[in-house]
Amino acid sequence: MTTVTSPRVLAHPARDEIRLEDVLHALADPMRLRVVRELAAVDADLSCSDVELPVTKSTTTHHFRVLRENGVIRQTYRGTAKMNGLRRDDLDALFPGLLDRVLEAAQSQERRLAGR
C-alpha cells in the first residue's frame, strides 16, 4: 500500500499488491459496478459528485473507498474535489481481459433485464 504523506493523499495498493479476489469482491456490489461502468464509459476522471448513486453520501463514500482499497480505482484530490479514475492499466496488466469481460457481462445483463 502506498504510504500516505499528508491528509490530502490517499493510500492505494501498489500494482503487485492487487489481488484477484479483492477486485472481484469490489466489483460484486451493484453500486460499485455502476461506478466502474461510468468511469469506463467516460474514460476520464470523475469527481464523486459526478457519479449519482441512489444511496446516502456516506454509503457512496464507502463504495468509493472499497474500490480504491481493492485497486480498482485511483482517487486524487484536485482542489476540494476527490477525483476518481479507473486503474485500467494495472487491472489489464494483472488480469488481461477481466475488466472488459465484466463490463460486457454487466451490459448484457442490463439488456436482458430491460427486456423483461
Side-chain angles (χ1 to χ4, degrees):
M1 186 83 62
T2 57
T3 304
V4 177
T5 56
S6 79
R8 302 291 290 173
V9 177
L10 300 162
H12 297 82
R15 179 185 281 189
D16 64 343
E17 296 174 321
I18 298 172
R19 299 177 51 107
L20 177 61
E21 57 270 24
D22 295 337
V23 171
L24 293 175
H25 163 74
L27 296 174
D29 182 272
M31 292 298 111
R32 293 193 290 265
L33 183 57
R34 184 171 171 172
V35 169
V36 170
R37 291 181 71 192
E38 287 196 35
L39 290 172
V42 298
D43 194 28
D45 290 356
L46 296 174
S47 71
C48 295
S49 61
D50 287 335
V51 181
E52 293 185 29
L53 298 177
V55 296
T56 64
K57 185 176 179 179
S58 63
T59 302
T60 297
T61 300
H62 165 75
H63 287 309
F64 278 99
R65 181 180 53 80
V66 170
L67 289 167
R68 174 178 47 83
E69 290 179 350
N70 289 293
V72 178
I73 66 170
R74 179 163 309 280
Q75 291 185 306
T76 55
Y77 281 100
R78 191 171 304 147
T80 59
K82 193 182 292 181
M83 303 303 291
N84 303 280
L86 196 55
R87 290 182 67 176
R88 182 178 281 280
D89 291 346
D90 290 332
L91 295 173
D92 286 346
L94 292 166
F95 317 112
L98 175 68
L99 187 57
D100 289 332
R101 299 298 81 77
V102 168
L103 293 169
E104 288 169 8
Q107 183 176 17
S108 176
Q109 175 177 276
E110 183 179 12
R111 284 193 304 263
R112 182 176 48 85
L113 294 176
R116 286 186 175 178

